[in-house]
Amino acid sequence: MLNKAAKPLVKLVDRYLPDPYIFVLLLTLVVLIAAVVAEHKTPLEVINYWGDGFWTLLSFSMQMLLVLVAGFMLASSPPIKKLLDAIAGLAKSAPQAIILVTLVSLAASWINWGFGLVVGALFAKALARKVKVDYRLLVASAYSGFVVWHGGLAGSIPLTIATVGHFSESQIGIIPTSDTIFASYNLLLVAILFVVMPLVNRFMLPEEKDSVYVDPSALDDKDAELDASALELNPANVSERQPESRPADKLENSRLLGWSVGGAGLVYLGYYFWVQGGSLNLNLVNFLFLFLAILLHQTPRSLLTSLNEAIKGGAGIVIQFPFYAGIMAVMVQSGLAQSISEGFVAIASAESLPFWSFISAGIVNIFVPSGGGQWAVQAPIMLPAAQALGADVARVAMAVAWGDAWTNLIQPFWALPVLAIAGLKARDIMGFCLMQLMITGVIISIALSWF
């Protein structure tokens, strides 16, 4: 059974995988050395690439921090808590909980990757309050749904090449989503993963003696409330006033204020989607999460209490994303990413190019964990190769997209928001993710080659 096959992987990862911060430091040194040795750049040139690129992901880092914070605040609002608890109540056993969280995560990630990351993690916590289940596998299952994002509605590569004015338009023209996201082979691949992933995760469920459980009371998010009330409990700060006697207190507890601002945000979203015909992106997901949270928490004080708890999990994002920006800059500017892609293209044929594009994208993604950034690196190599070999350009582009999504399963960069919400470390889930990686790699390879 898969649980026996996964057991040594879990132990291996638990023993040897360092904290994601250590991982990104090691990855930085590997890339710096590789750029000097393989691309014959001077150490000073490589350091310059790294330093110049270090802050290029600041905007994206803030977006990811808001994915975590706004999603947490929304899920901690009383109505959403009740909804998640109600859905979690459908699971009556550990296997059912694993299957349910995987399906919810897959569906949410297919709609939008940021939405999927947050919803999957929060739903895993809701399930853990209801069902006694290995918490590590539960969170790994929630993260596993992320594998379909680049084949879904928010896939950055298929949406890029379907947009007028994209950087490769003069070379390949506009490729509609009917040839990529909604192509029969891609829809069939997504459908297969919707069946296989829940089963894979369910059959990795450890035996009772190997399971790790979490105390449901530890998931109740009460710390922020205690922090907010600390001043009131300190005798040095106690006053004779009654609760909400000050104008400031009344504003902090004003439902009218929360409803007015939250409602204004939703009016804007309605205008954007239904009048302007706008599309969903990460900024809009964050906007939706934030203003729904403002509306559903009702009072500013309730929202700020939730914010105090949510922000604690953002440290990893703040410190690690600049290092990945530096790594990406070295990979691109030194030519390392191009060399990896060209090496695989050199051994490809028209029939095998999608497969080798998938494998090369998976490798490049470890160092350049950004769908749009990765396409900018690989498109100049993959597209001329596809045209020269007579390969299907749309399928090659989707192969790069799936390669990017595939190795996210073992890339701590993307797991950080999930781990922060769940309260786990990367090594707690990556053993299970490694098994998911191997199985999905076979399925995606077959789909891209023969479907």
Side-chain angles (χ1 to χ4, degrees):
M1 298 294 285
L2 284 179
N3 61 346
K4 290 184 171 58
K7 185 176 179 179
L9 296 179
V10 172
K11 288 185 175 180
L12 180 70
V13 169
D14 181 65
R15 182 174 179 83
Y16 291 105
L17 183 69
D19 183 89
Y21 174 63
I22 306 301
F23 181 82
V24 75
L25 293 185
L26 294 174
L27 205 59
T28 298
L29 294 177
V30 168
V31 170
L32 294 177
I33 294 170
V36 172
V37 174
E39 300 299 327
H40 309 293
K41 303 294 182 181
T42 67
L44 186 58
E45 285 178 313
V46 174
I47 290 293
N48 193 49
Y49 299 149
W50 179 67
D52 285 347
F54 200 78
W55 300 114
T56 55
L57 285 182
L58 276 182
S59 175
F60 181 66
S61 300
M62 187 62 181
Q63 287 176 318
M64 288 300 292
L65 188 60
L66 282 172
V67 163
L68 168 65
V69 171
F72 187 100
M73 290 191 299
L74 175 60
S76 65
S77 66
I80 299 299
K81 271 187 173 180
K82 289 180 181 178
L83 177 61
L84 289 176
D85 286 343
I87 300 174
L90 297 174
K92 305 301 181 183
S93 64
Q96 290 178 5
I98 295 298
I99 290 172
L100 188 58
V101 76
T102 307
L103 287 172
V104 168
S105 176
L106 283 164
S109 296
W110 190 80
I111 294 170
N112 179 274
W113 64 267
F115 184 65
L117 284 176
V118 173
V119 168
L122 294 170
F123 187 53
K125 291 183 71 174
L127 281 165
R129 296 186 186 103
K130 298 281 187 179
V131 180
K132 186 179 181 182
V133 58
D134 188 293
Y135 191 55
R136 304 165 303 166
L137 178 59
L138 188 69
V139 175
S141 300
Y143 183 55
S144 69
F146 191 51
V147 76
V148 303
W149 85 270
H150 224 149
L153 299 181
S156 59
I157 292 176
L159 292 182
T160 294
I161 60 178
T163 302
V164 175
H166 71 87
F167 67 85
S168 300
E169 183 179 358
S170 61
Q171 187 176 12
I172 63 173
I174 303 299
I175 298 179
T177 54
S178 59
D179 292 342
T180 53
I181 295 172
F182 298 107
S184 57
Y185 71 87
N186 188 66
L187 292 176
L188 181 56
L189 173 54
V190 170
I192 289 173
L193 290 174
F194 264 76
V195 174
V196 171
M197 290 305 296
L199 295 177
V200 167
N201 292 334
R202 183 263 175 267
F203 287 113
M204 283 198 294
L205 196 63
E207 298 176 0
E208 179 71 24
K209 61 184 178 64
D210 298 319
S211 294
V212 175
Y213 302 114
V214 64
D215 182 359
S217 65
L219 303 173
D220 286 340
D221 306 326
K222 294 177 180 177
D223 291 346
E225 296 177 9
L226 293 176
D227 290 343
S229 63
L231 287 176
E232 299 295 336
L233 297 175
N234 188 335
N237 295 290
V238 172
S239 67
E240 296 299 323
R241 63 181 175 85
Q242 297 297 316
E244 300 185 27
S245 63
R246 299 182 307 170
D249 291 324
K250 292 180 179 180
L251 285 173
E252 289 176 7
N253 290 283
S254 170
R255 286 181 171 83
L256 180 60
L257 188 58
W259 289 338
S260 298
V261 175
L266 295 188
V267 168
Y268 166 76
L269 287 172
Y271 181 81
Y272 174 82
F273 286 115
W274 285 291
V275 178
Q276 294 184 323
S279 59
L280 192 66
N281 56 47
L282 187 55
N283 285 335
L284 265 296
V285 169
N286 281 332
F287 195 96
L288 175 63
F289 282 1
L290 176 59
F291 283 91
L292 276 178
I294 291 172
L295 193 66
L296 295 178
H297 274 282
Q298 301 187 52
T299 68
R301 175 172 289 179
S302 174
L303 185 85
L304 292 174
T305 297
S306 176
L307 173 64
N308 287 335
E309 180 66 18
I311 203 69
K312 294 176 183 178
I317 292 172
V318 172
I319 194 65
Q320 291 177 45
F321 276 33
F323 282 94
Y324 278 108
I327 290 171
M328 289 170 59
V330 174
M331 289 289 293
V332 174
Q333 297 299 320
S334 71
L336 265 176
Q338 293 91 328
S339 295
I340 293 172
S341 300
E342 289 169 354
F344 284 103
V345 167
I347 59 175
S349 63
E351 293 75 21
S352 66
L353 183 61
F355 169 76
W356 291 117
S357 299
F358 166 67
I359 297 298
S360 67
I363 294 173
V364 171
N365 180 59
I366 299 295
F367 304 94
V368 187
S370 165
Q374 183 163 342
W375 182 239
V377 171
Q378 291 197 267
I381 296 103
M382 296 304 176
L383 294 181
Q387 292 175 324
L389 294 171
D392 184 342
V393 172
R395 187 181 287 254
V396 169
M398 287 306 293
V400 175
W402 277 103
D404 168 80
W406 175 48
T407 48
N408 283 335
L409 287 170
I410 56 168
Q411 168 53 273
F413 179 89
W414 292 111
L416 288 175
V418 175
L419 295 169
I421 292 170
L424 293 180
K425 296 185 180 297
R427 63 172 174 266
D428 295 322
I429 70 168
M430 284 299 165
F432 300 108
C433 291
L434 192 55
M435 178 62 71
Q436 296 161 353
L437 179 88
M438 292 187 286
I439 293 173
T440 55
V442 172
I443 294 171
I444 298 170
S445 297
I446 293 172
L448 292 172
S449 300
W450 290 299
F451 281 4

